[in-house]
Amino acid sequence: EAGVAQSPRYKIIEKRQSVAFWCNPISGHATLYWYQQILGQGPKLLIQFQNNGVVDDSQLPKDRFSAERLKGVDSTLKIQPAKLEDSAVYLCASSLTPRISGANVLTFGAGSRLTVL
Amino acid sequence: SQQGEEDPQALSIQEGENATMNCSYKTSINNLQWYRQNSGRGLVHLILIRSNEREKHSGRLRVTLDTSKKSSSLLITASRAADTASYFCATDHLQGAQKLVFGQGTRLTINP
């Protein structure tokens, strides 16, 4: 099966500019996640979707970050305006609904590396 | 914070030796998972252990879980150069949405 697709792989912008990342999850995976991974740290959940509804966005900096999953399939994460501390890898992951699969096992994309200058 | 803590932060061993990494967490869990991340890549799921299990094996991987101590360990036996990567534990907690909380990771280097 095809994996989780993400683009772009790399992006360099200046602070206060905007950027958008795209993710296409594995077909049939109802749950989609965006994680932020700062160099040397573990991934931190930004937002979790179940189909096209938000399940958890408690750690999403909503003054600058937004995400949508309009048709319950692919998703876009936007940052506007970017700050230096947003430099990180943005990982998208998807999973089957846990009540169907029995557990929340994630499949990750390769990530989008953002550098803010 | 529910985030797990991993120990050690970095581990360097010779090829063929065994590598052990530990993870501790703070609140009750449904299950605990281990993921591997090669440099510049996404995370890959390795193994899952449920809260009612104490030990699980998958190939050269052995995972233990002690819910009384809120800790888990990952053992990689007969290490290979290809095992060089960062290893993360992730906990699926009983409270809140079923989201995985990742630890800070252990950076494992296998020297040939």
Side-chain angles (χ1 to χ4, degrees):
Chain A
E1 65 180 2
V4 175
Q6 289 190 247
S7 67
R9 284 297 314 276
Y10 305 94
K11 189 74 175 179
I12 301 174
I13 61 173
E14 297 194 348
K15 60 183 179 183
R16 291 188 289 274
Q17 288 186 324
S18 62
V19 63
F21 302 112
W22 173 83
C23 172
N24 190 25
I26 290 176
S27 178
H29 280 194
T31 311
L32 185 147
Y33 314 77
W34 284 102
Y35 282 85
Q36 178 193 58
Q37 186 177 25
I38 293 172
L39 185 65
Q41 298 183 18
K44 182 183 86 170
L45 180 68
L46 292 176
I47 189 166
Q48 177 179 345
F49 292 94
Q50 180 73 22
N51 296 309
N52 60 349
V54 176
V55 173
D56 187 331
D57 63 356
S58 57
Q59 297 192 91
L60 186 73
K62 298 181 184 62
D63 57 334
R64 298 183 301 105
F65 286 65
S66 65
E68 59 183 13
R69 192 184 184 199
L70 292 177
K71 297 182 179 178
V73 181
D74 56 355
S75 175
T76 302
L77 175 71
K78 297 180 181 178
I79 307 174
Q80 181 180 8
K83 292 185 175 181
L84 297 177
E85 59 260 37
D86 298 332
S87 293
V89 176
Y90 291 86
L91 295 164
C92 179
S94 68
S95 69
L96 289 168
T97 304
R99 63 179 172 81
I100 295 175
S101 65
N104 208 15
V105 175
L106 274 57
T107 302
F108 282 84
S112 295
R113 181 177 297 275
L114 173 66
T115 302
V116 182
L117 302 176
Chain B
S1 168
Q2 295 173 329
Q3 190 171 42
E5 295 182 2
E6 297 185 58
D7 169 55
Q9 290 189 341
L11 179 61
S12 181
I13 61 173
Q14 295 300 119
E15 195 167 19
E17 294 180 339
N18 296 340
T20 300
M21 290 158 269
N22 303 296
C23 170
S24 61
Y25 56 92
K26 296 178 181 176
T27 59
S28 297
I29 59 172
N30 290 312
N31 63 71
L32 184 145
Q33 303 175 36
W34 287 89
Y35 287 76
R36 182 187 73 229
Q37 185 177 35
N38 291 90
S39 181
R41 307 296 296 273
L43 284 76
V44 174
H45 178 258
L46 295 176
I47 194 166
L48 177 150
I49 187 165
R50 299 183 189 277
S51 59
N52 60 353
E53 297 175 312
R54 292 297 167 259
E55 186 171 313
K56 205 161 184 181
H57 297 256
S58 177
R60 293 184 296 112
L61 304 180
R62 172 179 169 250
V63 171
T64 62
L65 178 65
D66 186 334
T67 53
S68 66
K69 295 181 179 178
K70 292 186 170 61
S71 68
S72 173
S73 67
L74 171 67
L75 169 67
I76 303 174
T77 60
S79 62
R80 304 168 182 170
D83 295 329
T84 294
S86 291
Y87 292 81
F88 295 91
C89 69
T91 47
D92 183 351
H93 293 269
L94 288 173
Q95 295 176 338
Q98 282 188 284
K99 64 180 183 182
L100 286 187
V101 179
F102 285 83
Q104 294 297 300
T106 293
R107 172 93 187 133
L108 175 64
T109 302
I110 308 299
N111 302 303

